[in-house]
């Protein structure tokens, strides 16, 4: 029987430790012979990522025990860190990047020997110059090599870096000899993805782009002839450009080149056929995906993301949708699209193919991400790995709502609303609940509609959560994501505030008990919201950007070092805009309590931003707390960190909103 209990004070079986233990998701699925492999987070093991082996009989094995950490740092956000193959003698070979030293290692999972290094070790004194990183490996057994992205630091600054497509010998000869690494492409482009090789081995295709563009702004699809020695020649651009984003490429079984790009408003699937008589050696592109307003691709935040995979029978597995995604099988000849049946409403950008079977990573509002196999001959989909388990009774999970709100200039704002929910408690009388507006990172990212125990941590205690896919988010076409062009700190802030006000105006949320929270770019949005609006009573700001000018001047890593030119404008042309929008220059406007959370090893949003922000705030009498975490970078991965952060956030809301929460440590708010 429900007990009348004030919002925010409800007891809940979903504690912070439980939410932290289920943080993260499986990624980068692939096949090694008849087996399906993938990476998986281990928050309780210092946040490392392990490699999981899915046996044909359904058994799962977490291979490569601690301290092995299968994760790349190329462009800092990384990318596909492993590949596997079956050799002629039937033995398996796996190549992976180890996070700690960023070397490539080769490993025979059934051989009994430990992994052996393939690439040189970093400098023992910690110097960046000469440091090598690797991503998106493709094992080439016929050549005795693994082809991948090589990132090489040429100096000590984060932007002193070059990237090329390279070949690493599998015999280990490059482990102590940088000269044994063969560079297959030149470094004319700042960023590259790993190469995809045609079925006959005579051509290679990859994606490249340059500053100041981000990959969702404009990229180029490069095609090269592969010589008998493996060298690339006759490199040419066959698709894409400054205002067309090619997000992925791969080869069909018939030798045609497939790619996803957005010459219109949506990422669509296209095909090029090799044609020696054509000027570039390829035919004119043909669109394969149906003429619908849906995305068949997404933002390339990590190297090697996959929204489609060609199949041996000519069909193409695709991840597609608007706002949400589904797994489908596309017939490229007819354009017919058959979607997989099942409860999954969101699919990650990773796919593998094994004969007539497609393997992906799917989730839903009632289940976390799990490994799903679709049998295309029967249409049956089933979970084959990392199966969701309910750590508590699902009656405590939130019941989300897909909503569209109206913002300034009558623009649409997409959001997911999670009202407070508990089977045991209801509010007394006509009390309205507190709500927390969540601003996602990126900002070119997206909040998926999936089960998140961090959200359930709050909703099961009587807090509402509103995830806002503000203008600039992906999943709704190029025009929607380009609403943020030169408007960062304006459109995102306005959209979040519009959703918060609408919830209050319609009687869903208590207007006096609204909060805002976000990490990374969402931390920026949260901080600007506290300085530019009076909507929120408090806020949680997680590894944020607080000073645009400093961030633009060698204040971050290379990948995003020119991002602000599209988000804010060229700094040389609009320096005042950088100053005027930065929260660090408006600490005098902050009147609401806030919590600041920061990893001390963060090279993307360094702690210096928070420290200078707090020095300017000193003596102003604003209640606040600043928690830092050793060993954490951009994105918290360790169980103890996430527990401390969640409990501190809950304590902030409880103190601000006058809610009794004796079940969490009291966060000390300084003035």
């Amino acid at each position: 029987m429900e007990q009348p209990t004030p919002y925010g004070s409800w007891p809940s079986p979903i504690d912070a430790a439980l939410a932290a233990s289920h943080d993260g998701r499986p990624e980068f699925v692939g096949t090694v012979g008849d087996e399906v492999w993938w990476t998986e987070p281990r928050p309780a093991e210092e946040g490392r990522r392990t490699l999981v082996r899915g046996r044909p009989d359904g058994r799962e094995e977490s291979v490569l025990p601690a301290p092995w950490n299968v994760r790349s740092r190329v462009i800092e956000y990384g990318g596909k860190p492993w590949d596997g193959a079956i050799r002629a003698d039937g033995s398996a070979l796996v190549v992976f990047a180890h996070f700690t030293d960023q070397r490539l290692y080769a490993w025979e999972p059934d051989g009994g020997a430990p992994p052996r290094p393939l690439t040189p070790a970093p400098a023992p004194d910690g110097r960046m110059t000469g440091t090598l990183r690797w991503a998106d490996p493709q094992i080439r057994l016929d050549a005795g090599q693994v082809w991948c992205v090589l990132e090489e630091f040429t100096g000590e600054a984060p932007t002193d870096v070059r990237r090329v497509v390279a070949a690493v010998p599998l015999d280990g000869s490059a482990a102590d000899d940088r000269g044994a690494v063969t560079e297959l492409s030149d470094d004319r482009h700042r960023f590259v993805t790993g190469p995809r090789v045609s079925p006959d081995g005579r051509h290679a295709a990859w994606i490249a782009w340059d500053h100041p563009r981000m990959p969702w702004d404009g990229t180029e699809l490069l095609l090269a002839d592969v010589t008998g020695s493996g060298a690339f020649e006759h490199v040419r651009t066959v698709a894409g450009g400054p205002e067309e984003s090619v997000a992925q490429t791969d080869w069909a079984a018939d030798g045609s080149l497939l790619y996803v790009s957005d010459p219109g408003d949506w990422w669509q699937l296209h095909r090029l056929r090799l044609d020696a008589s054509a000027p570039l050696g390829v035919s004119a592109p043909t669109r394969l995906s149906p003429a619908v307003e849906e995305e068949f691709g997404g933002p390339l935040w990590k190297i090697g993301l996959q929204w489609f995979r060609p199949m041996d029978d000519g069909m193409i597995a695709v991840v597609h949708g608007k706002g949400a995604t589904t797994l489908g099988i596309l017939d490229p000849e007819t354009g017919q699209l058959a979607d997989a049946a099942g409860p999954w409403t969101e699919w990650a950008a990773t796919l593998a193919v094994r004969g007539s079977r497609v393997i992906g990573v799917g989730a839903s509002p009632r289940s976390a991400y799990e490994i799903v196999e679709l049998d295309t001959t029967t249409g049956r989909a089933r979970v084959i790995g990392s199966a969701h388990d309910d750590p508590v009774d699902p009656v405590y999970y939130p019941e989300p709502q897909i909503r569209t709100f109206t913002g300034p200039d009558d623009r649409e704002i997409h959001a997911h609303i999670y009202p407070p929910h508990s089977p045991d408690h209801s509010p007394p009388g006509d009390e309205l609940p507190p709500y927390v507006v969540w601003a996602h990172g990126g900002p070119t990212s997206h909040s998926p509609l999936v089960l998140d125990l961090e959200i359930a941590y709050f909703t099961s205690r009587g807090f509402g959560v509103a995830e806002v896919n503000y203008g600039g988010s992906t999943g709704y076409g190029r025009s929607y994501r380009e609403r943020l062009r030169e408007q960062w700190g304006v459109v995102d802030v306005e959209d979040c505030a519009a959703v918060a006000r609408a919830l209050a105006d319609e009687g869903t949320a208590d207007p006096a008990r609204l909060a805002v929270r976000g990490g990374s770019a969402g931390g920026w949005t949260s901080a600007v919201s506290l300085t530019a609006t009076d909507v929120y009573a408090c806020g949680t700001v997680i590894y944020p950007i607080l000073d645009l000018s400093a961030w633009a001047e060698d204040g971050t890593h290379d990948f995003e070092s020119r991002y602000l030119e599209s988000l804010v404008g060229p700094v040389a042309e609009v320096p005042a805009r950088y100053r005027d929008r930065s929260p660090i220059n408006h600490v005098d406007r902050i009147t609401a309590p806030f919590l600041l959370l920061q990893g001390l090893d963060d090279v993307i949003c360094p702690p210096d931003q928070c420290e200078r922000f707090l020095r300017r705030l000193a003596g102003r009498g604003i209640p606040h707390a600043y928690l830092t975490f050793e060993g954490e970078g951009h994105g918290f991965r360790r169980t103890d960190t996430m527990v401390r952060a969640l409990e501190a956030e809950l304590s902030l809301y409880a103190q601000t909103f006058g809610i009794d929460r004796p079940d969490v440590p009291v966060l000390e708010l300084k003035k």
Side-chain angles (χ1 to χ4, degrees):
M1 181 176 178
E2 292 184 353
Q3 299 294 320
T5 312
Y7 281 119
S9 63
W10 301 347
S12 170
I14 304 174
D15 61 16
L18 185 63
S21 68
H22 285 69
D23 187 77
R25 68 186 187 196
E27 284 186 303
F28 300 116
V29 296
T31 58
V32 184
D34 291 332
E35 299 177 346
V36 178
W37 290 50
W38 63 91
T39 63
E40 198 168 273
R42 293 290 183 264
E45 299 176 22
E46 297 187 338
R48 76 181 186 98
R49 294 196 73 88
T50 189
L51 200 54
V52 178
R53 181 181 196 174
R55 298 281 193 174
D57 62 5
R59 288 180 295 136
E60 293 179 34
E61 298 176 10
S62 179
V63 298
L64 292 173
W68 293 110
N69 189 348
V70 184
R71 184 176 152 217
S72 168
R73 283 190 63 180
V74 169
I75 69 168
E76 292 302 343
Y77 291 109
K80 186 170 184 252
W82 76 278
D83 192 30
I86 300 295
R87 293 184 288 204
D89 62 2
S91 64
L93 175 68
V94 172
V95 172
F96 67 93
H98 177 44
F99 180 76
T100 303
D101 59 15
Q102 285 300 290
R103 301 176 83 180
L104 276 184
Y105 287 81
W107 180 53
E108 300 171 4
D110 299 313
R116 54 185 175 83
L118 297 180
T119 56
D125 58 4
R127 287 181 296 108
M128 289 302 297
T129 304
T131 293
L132 308 178
R133 296 174 178 174
W134 314 86
D136 205 6
Q138 307 285 319
I139 295 176
R140 303 283 295 161
L141 290 176
D142 55 341
Q145 299 173 328
V146 55
W147 291 6
C148 50
V149 174
L150 161 60
E151 181 178 77
E152 181 174 23
F153 283 83
T154 59
E156 294 302 300
T159 53
D160 293 336
V161 64
R162 60 191 293 271
R163 299 175 187 89
V164 295
V165 177
V168 177
L170 288 172
D171 62 9
S173 58
D176 298 307
D177 181 10
R178 166 67 175 83
V181 175
T182 302
E183 296 188 8
L184 301 175
S185 71
D186 57 32
D187 56 3
R188 72 181 72 177
H189 293 289
R190 188 76 170 191
F191 302 94
V192 295
T193 64
R196 299 296 181 263
V197 183
S198 61
D200 62 7
R202 298 173 57 188
H203 304 277
W206 67 101
I207 299 167
W209 69 97
D210 295 287
H211 284 320
R213 287 175 282 148
M214 299 300 287
W216 42 88
D217 296 326
T219 61
E220 298 177 23
L221 174 58
L222 301 181
L223 178 64
D225 300 336
V226 180
T227 67
S229 64
F232 289 2
E233 63 179 17
H234 190 207
V235 179
R236 63 271 196 197
T237 297
V238 295
E243 297 182 358
E244 179 182 343
S245 167
V246 180
Q248 184 197 341
T249 189
D250 209 340
W251 295 87
D254 66 0
S256 60
L257 183 59
L258 308 177
Y259 66 99
V260 165
S261 73
D262 64 344
D265 198 41
W266 303 86
W267 273 299
Q268 298 281 330
L269 186 62
H270 300 79
R271 176 171 59 197
L272 294 171
R273 293 195 181 276
L274 298 178
D275 181 356
S277 65
L280 296 175
V282 294
S283 64
T286 302
R287 193 186 69 204
L288 302 180
S289 45
V292 292
E293 291 189 341
E294 288 189 355
E295 304 282 28
F296 286 76
L300 199 62
W301 277 101
K302 296 181 179 182
I303 303 298
L305 295 180
Q306 295 173 315
W307 292 270
F308 74 87
R309 281 298 297 269
M311 304 182 69
D312 291 341
D313 62 2
M315 298 296 180
I316 306 171
V318 294
V319 172
H320 70 102
K322 179 181 179 180
T325 54
T326 189
L327 174 64
I329 304 299
L330 175 68
D331 183 337
E333 303 307 321
T334 66
Q336 290 184 329
L337 185 60
D339 290 336
W344 308 282
T345 57
E346 191 73 31
W347 293 81
T350 179
L351 292 170
V353 168
R354 183 174 59 177
S356 62
R357 300 172 186 268
V358 178
I359 301 97
V361 179
S364 79
R366 307 296 290 179
S367 59
Y369 287 96
E370 47 196 357
I371 310 297
V372 181
E373 181 185 74
L374 169 65
D375 185 340
T376 61
T377 61
T378 65
R380 180 173 177 262
R382 64 189 180 103
V383 176
I384 62 168
S386 193
H388 170 77
D389 65 316
D390 290 311
V392 297
D393 191 325
V395 297
Y396 290 95
Y397 296 162
E399 298 289 347
Q401 304 166 0
I402 302 174
R403 297 280 304 272
T404 302
F405 296 86
T406 301
D409 302 321
D410 292 326
R411 63 177 181 253
E412 287 187 345
I413 306 168
H414 300 284
H416 301 146
I417 307 302
Y418 297 82
H421 175 75
S422 172
D424 306 321
H425 300 278
S426 60
D430 56 358
E431 180 190 7
L432 293 176
Y435 257 80
V436 185
V437 172
W438 285 29
H440 64 68
T444 308
S445 187
H446 178 84
S447 292
L449 191 69
V450 301
L451 178 63
D452 183 340
L453 290 188
E454 282 199 8
I455 292 177
Y457 176 79
F458 290 103
T459 57
S460 63
R461 284 167 168 75
F463 294 85
V465 171
E467 286 190 308
V468 182
N469 282 316
Y470 49 80
S473 303
T474 46
Y476 306 98
R478 179 180 277 263
S479 60
Y480 191 86
R481 72 178 185 265
E482 289 199 342
R483 287 182 187 176
L484 211 56
R485 183 169 288 276
E486 297 196 3
Q487 294 298 308
W488 197 35
V490 179
V491 166
D492 50 325
V493 173
E494 290 177 346
D495 286 1
C496 287
V499 171
R501 290 191 182 101
L503 293 174
D505 291 345
E506 70 186 25
T508 297
D510 184 344
R513 295 192 294 174
L514 297 171
V516 62
R517 72 101 83 164
S520 187
W524 154 269
T525 300
S526 300
V528 176
S529 296
L530 295 178
T531 62
T533 78
D534 58 0
V535 173
Y536 308 103
C538 62
T540 300
V541 182
I542 310 169
Y543 35 84
I545 300 165
L546 299 168
D547 183 348
L548 293 175
S549 299
W551 205 70
E553 298 171 4
D554 293 330
T556 188
H557 62 141
D558 184 60
F559 178 59
E560 293 179 273
S561 62
R562 304 281 296 278
Y563 194 6
L564 296 183
E565 292 193 25
S566 60
L567 290 175
V568 183
V571 64
E573 297 176 15
V574 289
R577 189 183 297 169
Y578 279 65
R579 294 191 300 270
D580 292 346
R581 291 189 192 170
S582 296
I584 199 169
N585 297 321
H586 302 295
V587 294
D588 57 311
R589 299 179 186 174
I590 299 177
T591 59
F594 65 90
L595 167 64
L596 198 53
L597 302 170
Q598 179 68 49
L600 293 178
D601 293 346
D602 193 337
V603 298
I604 296 172
C605 294
D608 173 67
Q609 293 242 335
C610 291
E611 293 160 5
R612 290 188 295 107
F613 179 82
L614 292 175
R615 285 197 293 270
R616 293 198 181 186
L617 185 79
R620 296 185 177 274
I622 304 301
H624 68 277
Y626 179 45
L627 302 184
T628 60
F629 301 96
E630 294 277 359
E632 292 283 15
H634 199 67
F636 299 152
R637 291 178 170 83
R638 299 182 178 186
T639 297
D640 54 349
T641 299
M642 291 183 282
V643 168
R644 180 73 179 104
L646 268 179
E647 291 182 341
E649 185 177 354
L650 177 59
S651 181
L652 170 71
Y653 303 150
Q655 293 182 58
T656 304
F657 300 149
I659 298 169
D660 185 25
R661 293 271 13 158
D663 55 332
V664 295
V666 176
L667 176 68
E668 181 182 355
L669 296 174
K670 301 178 181 179
K671 293 185 178 180

